[in-house]
Amino acid sequence: MQRRRFLRKAAAGAVAASTATGLAACGGSAEGAGEGGPNINARPTVRWRLASSFPRSLDTIYGAAEKLSETLEELTDGRFQMRVYPAGELVPGTEVLDAAQKGTVQCAHSASYYFIGKDPTLAFDCAVPFGLTARQQSAWLYSSGMELMRERFADFNVLNFPGGNTGTQMGGWFRREINSVADLNGLKMR
């Protein structure tokens, strides 16, 4: 399923449904409205599967996807249901981007830097070691970063959305093993 095509059709259907409802509410003539016409369910239930890169035991991170699912269902009166699957239940945690790209699942919840082997720039959609603070990352994403990252994710047939911020990534990417303080003191900053 092509997500963009689906979203366009869903938006067109929502406009058509709201127009028909608006006409019926205003006393106008909406086809089949109040005239003994067929009882058509114009709002079918949508069921999506979300593959997470995180296990259930990471209740703060994994729980964010569960909360999203509950909120969507509540806001849509049960018409949009999203079942959340922890890492490894449908696909391994490091393969959720592939699953979303291929249409195995409709959406995924992950950290983009897990996929830098596919495209190194995906790290900038997430925390980079010794990088921006949570506020700086959000400011960058919402000022211009989302537009840039959407271009990158389009190559994977994915429409990305920020899904929370756990803060600055501590640690780093190192080229050599550090065995002692002497080794650490011998490193030159480049």
Side-chain angles (χ1 to χ4, degrees), residues 55-140:
R56 286 186 206 279
S57 60
L58 289 177
D59 59 340
T60 302
I61 299 174
Y62 179 81
E66 289 182 319
K67 181 65 177 166
L68 171 66
S69 173
E70 292 167 9
T71 302
L72 284 173
E73 191 166 344
E74 183 180 314
L75 289 173
T76 61
D77 294 325
R79 299 265 184 210
F80 192 119
Q81 299 170 2
M82 184 168 22
R83 182 162 178 209
V84 181
Y85 294 89
E89 196 165 310
L90 289 179
V91 294
T94 56
E95 294 179 19
V96 299
L97 177 61
D98 296 328
Q101 180 181 15
K102 294 174 184 172
T104 305
V105 295
Q106 290 77 21
C107 53
H109 177 232
S110 189
S112 303
Y113 57 51
Y114 292 164
F115 311 109
I116 60 171
K118 296 177 180 302
D119 183 341
T121 63
L122 295 181
F124 296 106
D125 189 51
C126 200
V128 176
F130 304 111
L132 303 176
T133 66
R135 290 178 68 189
Q136 291 168 331
Q137 180 73 21
S138 294
W140 176 77

Side-chain angles (χ1 to χ4, degrees), residues 12-25 30:
V15 169
S18 66
T19 302
T21 303
L23 288 174

